[in-house]
Short mmCIF file of all heavy atoms in Angstrom, two decimals:
data_model
loop_
_atom_site.label_atom_id
_atom_site.label_comp_id
_atom_site.label_asym_id
_atom_site.label_seq_id
_atom_site.Cartn_x
_atom_site.Cartn_y
_atom_site.Cartn_z
N GLY A 12 -1.94 13.98 12.56
CA GLY A 12 -3.32 14.04 12.96
C GLY A 12 -4.25 13.22 12.09
O GLY A 12 -5.46 13.29 12.26
N HIS A 13 -3.74 12.45 11.16
CA HIS A 13 -4.60 11.67 10.26
C HIS A 13 -5.25 10.52 11.01
O HIS A 13 -4.60 9.57 11.39
CB HIS A 13 -3.78 11.14 9.08
CG HIS A 13 -4.57 10.32 8.10
ND1 HIS A 13 -5.75 10.75 7.55
CD2 HIS A 13 -4.36 9.09 7.58
CE1 HIS A 13 -6.22 9.82 6.72
NE2 HIS A 13 -5.39 8.81 6.73
N GLY A 14 -6.56 10.62 11.23
CA GLY A 14 -7.30 9.53 11.84
C GLY A 14 -7.64 9.68 13.29
O GLY A 14 -8.28 8.79 13.85
N VAL A 15 -7.25 10.77 13.93
CA VAL A 15 -7.59 10.95 15.33
C VAL A 15 -9.10 10.94 15.49
O VAL A 15 -9.81 11.65 14.80
CB VAL A 15 -7.00 12.28 15.88
CG1 VAL A 15 -7.48 12.54 17.30
CG2 VAL A 15 -5.49 12.26 15.82
N GLY A 16 -9.61 10.05 16.33
CA GLY A 16 -11.04 9.93 16.57
C GLY A 16 -11.77 9.03 15.58
O GLY A 16 -12.99 8.87 15.66
N SER A 17 -11.05 8.43 14.64
CA SER A 17 -11.69 7.56 13.65
C SER A 17 -12.12 6.24 14.27
O SER A 17 -11.55 5.79 15.26
CB SER A 17 -10.74 7.31 12.48
OG SER A 17 -9.55 6.67 12.92
N GLN A 18 -13.14 5.61 13.67
CA GLN A 18 -13.62 4.32 14.15
C GLN A 18 -12.78 3.15 13.63
O GLN A 18 -12.73 2.10 14.24
CB GLN A 18 -15.07 4.07 13.72
CG GLN A 18 -16.07 4.90 14.47
CD GLN A 18 -16.48 6.14 13.68
OE1 GLN A 18 -15.97 6.43 12.62
NE2 GLN A 18 -17.40 6.90 14.24
N MET A 19 -12.15 3.32 12.46
CA MET A 19 -11.37 2.23 11.87
C MET A 19 -10.17 2.82 11.14
O MET A 19 -10.29 3.85 10.48
CB MET A 19 -12.24 1.44 10.90
CG MET A 19 -11.54 0.27 10.23
SD MET A 19 -10.91 -1.00 11.34
CE MET A 19 -12.43 -1.76 11.86
N GLN A 20 -9.04 2.14 11.27
CA GLN A 20 -7.83 2.52 10.58
C GLN A 20 -7.37 1.32 9.77
O GLN A 20 -7.38 0.19 10.26
CB GLN A 20 -6.73 2.93 11.57
CG GLN A 20 -7.16 3.97 12.59
CD GLN A 20 -7.96 3.41 13.75
OE1 GLN A 20 -7.68 2.32 14.23
NE2 GLN A 20 -8.95 4.15 14.20
N MET A 21 -6.99 1.54 8.53
CA MET A 21 -6.62 0.45 7.62
C MET A 21 -5.44 0.86 6.76
O MET A 21 -5.14 2.04 6.63
CB MET A 21 -7.81 0.13 6.70
CG MET A 21 -9.07 -0.28 7.41
SD MET A 21 -10.56 -0.02 6.41
CE MET A 21 -11.02 1.64 6.90
N VAL A 22 -4.82 -0.12 6.14
CA VAL A 22 -3.81 0.13 5.11
C VAL A 22 -4.15 -0.71 3.89
O VAL A 22 -4.67 -1.82 4.01
CB VAL A 22 -2.37 -0.15 5.58
CG1 VAL A 22 -1.94 0.83 6.66
CG2 VAL A 22 -2.22 -1.57 6.06
N GLY A 23 -3.89 -0.17 2.72
CA GLY A 23 -4.11 -0.87 1.46
C GLY A 23 -3.67 0.02 0.33
O GLY A 23 -3.64 1.25 0.46
N ASP A 24 -3.33 -0.58 -0.78
CA ASP A 24 -2.88 0.17 -1.95
C ASP A 24 -4.10 0.61 -2.75
O ASP A 24 -4.58 -0.11 -3.62
CB ASP A 24 -1.95 -0.70 -2.79
CG ASP A 24 -1.42 0.02 -4.01
OD1 ASP A 24 -1.63 1.25 -4.14
OD2 ASP A 24 -0.79 -0.65 -4.85
N VAL A 25 -4.61 1.79 -2.47
CA VAL A 25 -5.85 2.26 -3.10
C VAL A 25 -5.63 2.89 -4.48
O VAL A 25 -6.59 3.04 -5.24
CB VAL A 25 -6.62 3.24 -2.19
CG1 VAL A 25 -7.09 2.54 -0.93
CG2 VAL A 25 -5.80 4.47 -1.87
N ASN A 26 -4.39 3.26 -4.81
CA ASN A 26 -4.16 3.87 -6.13
C ASN A 26 -3.35 2.99 -7.08
O ASN A 26 -3.05 3.38 -8.19
CB ASN A 26 -3.51 5.25 -5.99
CG ASN A 26 -2.14 5.21 -5.35
OD1 ASN A 26 -1.72 4.19 -4.80
ND2 ASN A 26 -1.43 6.32 -5.42
N GLY A 27 -3.01 1.77 -6.65
CA GLY A 27 -2.38 0.81 -7.54
C GLY A 27 -0.92 1.05 -7.84
O GLY A 27 -0.40 0.52 -8.82
N ASP A 28 -0.21 1.81 -6.99
CA ASP A 28 1.20 2.08 -7.26
C ASP A 28 2.15 1.12 -6.54
O ASP A 28 3.35 1.30 -6.57
CB ASP A 28 1.55 3.53 -6.90
CG ASP A 28 1.44 3.83 -5.42
OD1 ASP A 28 1.04 2.94 -4.63
OD2 ASP A 28 1.74 4.98 -5.03
N GLY A 29 1.59 0.12 -5.86
CA GLY A 29 2.42 -0.86 -5.16
C GLY A 29 2.79 -0.49 -3.74
O GLY A 29 3.50 -1.25 -3.08
N LYS A 30 2.33 0.66 -3.26
CA LYS A 30 2.64 1.11 -1.90
C LYS A 30 1.35 1.16 -1.07
O LYS A 30 0.33 1.65 -1.55
CB LYS A 30 3.30 2.49 -1.90
CG LYS A 30 4.64 2.52 -2.62
CD LYS A 30 5.31 3.87 -2.53
CE LYS A 30 4.91 4.87 -3.55
NZ LYS A 30 5.24 4.62 -4.93
N ALA A 31 1.41 0.65 0.15
CA ALA A 31 0.25 0.66 1.04
C ALA A 31 -0.02 2.09 1.52
O ALA A 31 0.90 2.80 1.94
CB ALA A 31 0.47 -0.26 2.22
N ASP A 32 -1.27 2.49 1.44
CA ASP A 32 -1.71 3.83 1.84
C ASP A 32 -2.46 3.74 3.16
O ASP A 32 -2.97 2.69 3.53
CB ASP A 32 -2.61 4.40 0.74
CG ASP A 32 -1.94 4.34 -0.63
OD1 ASP A 32 -0.84 4.92 -0.77
OD2 ASP A 32 -2.50 3.70 -1.54
N ALA A 33 -2.53 4.87 3.88
CA ALA A 33 -3.23 4.93 5.16
C ALA A 33 -4.67 5.39 4.92
O ALA A 33 -4.90 6.43 4.30
CB ALA A 33 -2.52 5.90 6.10
N ILE A 34 -5.63 4.61 5.41
CA ILE A 34 -7.05 4.90 5.22
C ILE A 34 -7.71 4.93 6.59
O ILE A 34 -7.47 4.05 7.42
CB ILE A 34 -7.73 3.82 4.36
CG1 ILE A 34 -7.00 3.66 3.02
CG2 ILE A 34 -9.21 4.13 4.13
CD1 ILE A 34 -6.35 2.33 2.85
N VAL A 35 -8.54 5.93 6.83
CA VAL A 35 -9.32 5.98 8.07
C VAL A 35 -10.79 6.19 7.75
O VAL A 35 -11.14 6.76 6.71
CB VAL A 35 -8.82 7.07 9.05
CG1 VAL A 35 -7.39 6.78 9.50
CG2 VAL A 35 -8.93 8.45 8.46
N TYR A 36 -11.63 5.72 8.65
CA TYR A 36 -13.08 5.77 8.49
C TYR A 36 -13.68 6.55 9.65
O TYR A 36 -13.41 6.25 10.81
CB TYR A 36 -13.63 4.35 8.46
CG TYR A 36 -15.13 4.28 8.49
CD1 TYR A 36 -15.87 4.41 7.32
CD2 TYR A 36 -15.81 4.11 9.68
CE1 TYR A 36 -17.25 4.35 7.34
CE2 TYR A 36 -17.20 4.05 9.72
CZ TYR A 36 -17.91 4.18 8.54
OH TYR A 36 -19.27 4.14 8.57
N PHE A 37 -14.49 7.57 9.33
CA PHE A 37 -15.22 8.37 10.31
C PHE A 37 -16.69 8.42 9.91
O PHE A 37 -17.04 9.16 8.98
CB PHE A 37 -14.78 9.84 10.30
CG PHE A 37 -13.41 10.16 10.79
CD1 PHE A 37 -12.35 10.25 9.90
CD2 PHE A 37 -13.18 10.43 12.12
CE1 PHE A 37 -11.09 10.59 10.33
CE2 PHE A 37 -11.92 10.78 12.55
CZ PHE A 37 -10.87 10.86 11.67
N ASN A 38 -17.56 7.67 10.54
CA ASN A 38 -19.01 7.81 10.32
C ASN A 38 -19.41 7.98 8.86
O ASN A 38 -20.12 8.92 8.50
CB ASN A 38 -19.57 8.98 11.14
CG ASN A 38 -19.45 8.74 12.62
OD1 ASN A 38 -19.66 7.63 13.08
ND2 ASN A 38 -19.11 9.77 13.36
N GLY A 39 -18.95 7.11 8.00
CA GLY A 39 -19.31 7.17 6.58
C GLY A 39 -18.35 7.93 5.70
O GLY A 39 -18.50 7.94 4.48
N GLU A 40 -17.37 8.59 6.27
CA GLU A 40 -16.35 9.28 5.48
C GLU A 40 -15.07 8.46 5.46
O GLU A 40 -14.62 7.98 6.50
CB GLU A 40 -16.04 10.67 6.07
CG GLU A 40 -17.20 11.63 6.01
CD GLU A 40 -16.85 13.00 6.56
OE1 GLU A 40 -15.72 13.20 7.05
OE2 GLU A 40 -17.73 13.88 6.50
N TRP A 41 -14.51 8.31 4.28
CA TRP A 41 -13.26 7.58 4.09
C TRP A 41 -12.18 8.58 3.67
O TRP A 41 -12.32 9.25 2.66
CB TRP A 41 -13.43 6.51 3.01
CG TRP A 41 -14.40 5.43 3.38
CD1 TRP A 41 -15.75 5.56 3.52
CD2 TRP A 41 -14.09 4.08 3.68
NE1 TRP A 41 -16.30 4.36 3.87
CE2 TRP A 41 -15.31 3.42 3.97
CE3 TRP A 41 -12.91 3.34 3.70
CZ2 TRP A 41 -15.37 2.07 4.29
CZ3 TRP A 41 -12.97 1.99 4.02
CH2 TRP A 41 -14.19 1.37 4.32
N TRP A 42 -11.13 8.67 4.48
CA TRP A 42 -10.03 9.60 4.24
C TRP A 42 -8.78 8.80 3.94
O TRP A 42 -8.47 7.82 4.62
CB TRP A 42 -9.81 10.49 5.46
CG TRP A 42 -10.95 11.44 5.70
CD1 TRP A 42 -12.13 11.16 6.31
CD2 TRP A 42 -11.00 12.81 5.33
NE1 TRP A 42 -12.93 12.29 6.34
CE2 TRP A 42 -12.26 13.31 5.74
CE3 TRP A 42 -10.12 13.67 4.68
CZ2 TRP A 42 -12.64 14.63 5.53
CZ3 TRP A 42 -10.50 14.99 4.47
CH2 TRP A 42 -11.75 15.45 4.90
N VAL A 43 -8.04 9.22 2.92
CA VAL A 43 -6.86 8.49 2.46
C VAL A 43 -5.64 9.41 2.48
O VAL A 43 -5.70 10.56 2.05
CB VAL A 43 -7.09 7.96 1.02
CG1 VAL A 43 -5.82 7.34 0.46
CG2 VAL A 43 -8.24 6.97 0.99
N SER A 44 -4.53 8.85 2.97
CA SER A 44 -3.21 9.46 2.86
C SER A 44 -2.37 8.53 2.00
O SER A 44 -2.01 7.44 2.43
CB SER A 44 -2.55 9.63 4.23
OG SER A 44 -3.20 10.60 5.00
N LEU A 45 -2.09 8.95 0.78
CA LEU A 45 -1.30 8.12 -0.13
C LEU A 45 0.14 8.06 0.32
O LEU A 45 0.71 9.05 0.79
CB LEU A 45 -1.37 8.68 -1.55
CG LEU A 45 -2.75 8.69 -2.22
CD1 LEU A 45 -2.68 9.41 -3.56
CD2 LEU A 45 -3.29 7.28 -2.37
#
């Protein structure tokens, strides 16, 4: 259910461990699944 209804879905290494993480954007909220 991560990102259902989100306006944007992205991947990127947000914690610097070398693995791409799942990021979603909802009206100013940024949610991350490492």
Side-chain angles (χ1 to χ4, degrees):
H13 179 51
V15 173
S17 60
Q18 287 98 356
M19 181 60 72
Q20 308 80 38
M21 301 158 269
V22 293
D24 181 9
V25 296
N26 63 348
D28 66 357
K30 297 184 275 294
D32 307 302
I34 305 114
V35 297
Y36 172 84
F37 292 94
N38 295 321
E40 294 182 357
W41 295 69
W42 292 80
V43 173
S44 290
L45 296 174

